[in-house]
Amino acid sequence: MGGHYIVIIRISIATVESSMLKEVELRKLQMTGGASYTVSLPKDWVKQQGLRVGDVVAVLPRSDSSLTLVAHEKMPSAGDKSAEVTLTPSKDQDREEILRVFVAQYLAGYDVVRIRFPTTTKPDLRTYLREAARRMFVGSEIIEESKDELIVQCLSSYGDLPTPKIVSRMSLIAKLMLRDAVESLRSKDHALAEEVIKRDEEIDRFYLFIVRQLTMAVLNRSLIQEIGLSDPRDCLVYRVVSKSLERIADHATTIAEMSTRVDDPLSSRLGEDLAKVSELTSSVLEDAFKALARVDGSVANGSISSAKKLERDAESIMDKLYDYRLNQKTMVAVRLALESLKRVSEYSEDIAEMAINLTARRRQLF
């Protein structure tokens, strides 16, 4: 025990009418054996955890100067059976409903998902779920498959793909998707539009993996640093940021799909106007991420100001669309593309606001 420090503070929150009051149970720090400091543990807590004299507990230091006390047997491990779940869909469920439940188990952090099929299940359901897992889940492998069962294992460890690195990758993909989507619309390039649409799947995979990471970090705070974050509150920030990027990619896909609705390539003047708005959109997004990476409120506010200008420019182009003498289909396609660029700027504002929020973070959680 020499040199080890064990401290536990019990905090309970009591609600009194409209205000929240904090009740803190104070316990005195004592010296034991001249080398170790100890604090007695609440008897009720010990009983709830099923602990006895001589049992081992884990003490986890936190970045906020607090300690978390966990019964050692409840620490997560690779062989923990709680990391496995079994699904038994009924014959009345359609495949989309089953897939949603399947995805929910992945997001909840299960490492192994077993799906046991009713005897009357058609083989195409198993194929559908197998391909969905490979397409949607990072690091997933089919470790067993039969007519009655499908077993999927998620192999990626959290440290291999830290959240900030994934978000940075997502932002780069989203920015390139926007550029290529607008170009596909300007030149009526269907092949380029198809590439943009396919890249949206990569963004979705990363988004689901981040949600999985953040869910596990909330359940087990020892994972906070392993996934590349320094504070539990960062989980909320990256949840908002990753969702914003997922939506930005969706709007890039919408713009690419518009290229199939135009009968001819856009005129050079309209194409140039659209390209300017697109370039400003990419700049706003890039500045928002610079602000987030640096926790720089000044850069964030500059990004928000540029976003407001972008929205005005897009409105201006929409107001003069009739001057370009477009047919109805092309006019609708261009208008929808401009609306999507405006929405992208709004999501970029959300990211910039997250950066500003980080600058106002309090040191203490309680």
Side-chain angles (χ1 to χ4, degrees):
M1 293 295 291
H4 293 275
Y5 299 81
I6 303 175
V7 180
I8 181 67
I9 298 176
R10 182 187 180 194
I11 299 179
S12 60
I13 308 297
T15 305
V16 180
E17 295 181 353
S18 61
S19 63
M20 297 294 288
L21 301 178
K22 297 179 180 180
E23 296 179 352
V24 179
E25 182 177 324
L26 302 179
R27 296 189 174 226
K28 186 176 292 186
L29 190 67
Q30 298 179 348
M31 176 74 75
T32 302
S36 298
Y37 293 99
T38 65
V39 171
S40 61
L41 300 177
K43 186 176 180 180
D44 291 343
W45 181 86
V46 172
K47 286 183 176 181
Q48 289 171 3
Q49 305 305 313
L51 295 173
R52 298 177 180 178
V53 175
D55 285 348
V56 178
V57 295
V59 180
L60 308 175
R62 301 302 180 192
S63 59
D64 58 7
S65 300
S66 68
L67 295 174
T68 296
L69 192 68
V70 183
H72 187 261
E73 291 76 8
K74 296 186 179 181
M75 291 288 290
S77 63
D80 190 351
K81 285 295 182 182
S82 65
E84 182 176 317
V85 66
T86 300
L87 302 180
T88 53
S90 69
K91 63 180 181 180
D92 298 326
Q93 289 180 290
D94 62 50
R95 65 182 192 174
E96 292 296 331
E97 183 179 352
I98 297 170
L99 178 59
R100 285 193 289 271
V101 176
F102 187 16
V103 171
Q105 310 311 312
Y106 172 79
L107 297 182
Y110 287 103
D111 297 321
V112 176
V113 181
R114 293 175 178 267
I115 305 177
R116 291 177 179 163
F117 302 102
T119 54
T120 57
T121 299
K122 296 180 180 179
D124 62 338
L125 173 60
R126 189 174 65 254
T127 301
Y128 173 73
L129 295 176
R130 181 186 65 236
E131 295 306 314
R134 288 173 173 166
R135 185 179 68 253
M136 301 171 69
F137 304 158
V138 172
S140 65
E141 291 291 339
I142 309 301
I143 60 175
E144 189 175 323
E145 182 177 0
S146 67
K147 66 183 183 67
D148 301 319
E149 190 174 55
L150 178 69
I151 305 177
V152 180
Q153 184 170 17
C154 302
L155 302 175
S156 293
S157 63
Y158 302 116
D160 294 338
L161 289 170
T163 297
K165 185 175 181 179
I166 299 175
V167 165
S168 177
R169 174 66 177 161
M170 288 175 69
S171 68
L172 177 60
I173 295 173
K175 189 171 69 170
L176 295 177
M177 284 178 67
L178 283 170
R179 183 197 67 185
D180 291 346
V182 172
E183 179 57 32
S184 72
L185 179 60
R186 290 178 60 190
S187 58
K188 194 176 167 58
D189 188 334
H190 292 176
L192 184 58
E194 285 299 320
E195 287 184 18
V196 172
I197 293 169
K198 288 179 180 178
R199 273 180 266 168
D200 185 46
E201 290 185 358
E202 189 173 1
I203 289 283
D204 290 341
R205 288 174 73 243
F206 282 143
Y207 169 68
L208 291 177
F209 188 63
I210 286 179
V211 174
R212 174 182 167 90
Q213 282 190 331
L214 298 179
T215 299
M216 293 304 296
V218 169
L219 294 173
N220 177 16
R221 290 178 59 185
S222 65
L223 290 176
I224 292 290
Q225 293 184 343
E226 187 176 344
I227 67 172
L229 307 182
S230 58
D231 190 295
R233 291 165 291 189
D234 290 341
C235 291
L236 176 59
V237 170
Y238 279 94
R239 182 67 173 83
V240 172
V241 170
S242 61
K243 183 60 179 178
S244 295
L245 282 171
E246 190 265 343
R247 295 297 298 131
I248 287 172
D250 286 345
H251 282 288
T253 299
T254 297
I255 296 172
E257 290 171 345
M258 291 304 103
S259 68
T260 64
R261 299 191 184 184
V262 297
D263 294 328
D264 299 298
L266 303 183
S267 67
S268 58
R269 188 158 64 95
L270 177 56
E272 288 172 4
D273 286 344
L274 199 58
K276 288 178 182 177
V277 176
S278 174
E279 289 170 6
L280 183 54
T281 305
S282 295
S283 178
V284 168
L285 178 59
E286 188 173 343
D287 285 347
F289 268 93
K290 284 181 182 178
L292 183 68
R294 301 173 186 173
V295 192
D296 190 325
S298 177
V299 175
N301 280 310
S303 175
I304 293 172
S305 297
S306 297
K308 300 298 185 186
K309 179 181 183 305
L310 183 157
E311 292 164 21
R312 292 194 296 270
D313 290 350
E315 289 285 353
S316 176
I317 295 174
M318 283 190 281
D319 288 342
K320 60 182 182 182
L321 279 181
Y322 287 102
D323 297 340
Y324 292 102
R325 300 181 182 279
L326 305 173
N327 61 45
Q328 189 66 28
K329 286 171 57 179
T330 302
M331 181 175 292
V332 170
V334 173
R335 180 175 289 277
L336 288 175
L338 287 167
E339 287 288 352
S340 284
L341 290 173
K342 285 176 58 182
R343 293 299 304 275
V344 168
S345 73
E346 292 170 1
Y347 286 117
S348 298
E349 286 183 67
D350 291 341
I351 295 170
E353 287 173 359
M354 287 294 102
I356 294 173
N357 292 346
L358 289 180
T359 66
R361 172 171 290 169
R362 295 187 304 168
R363 287 181 57 83
Q364 296 182 344
L365 287 175
F366 304 109

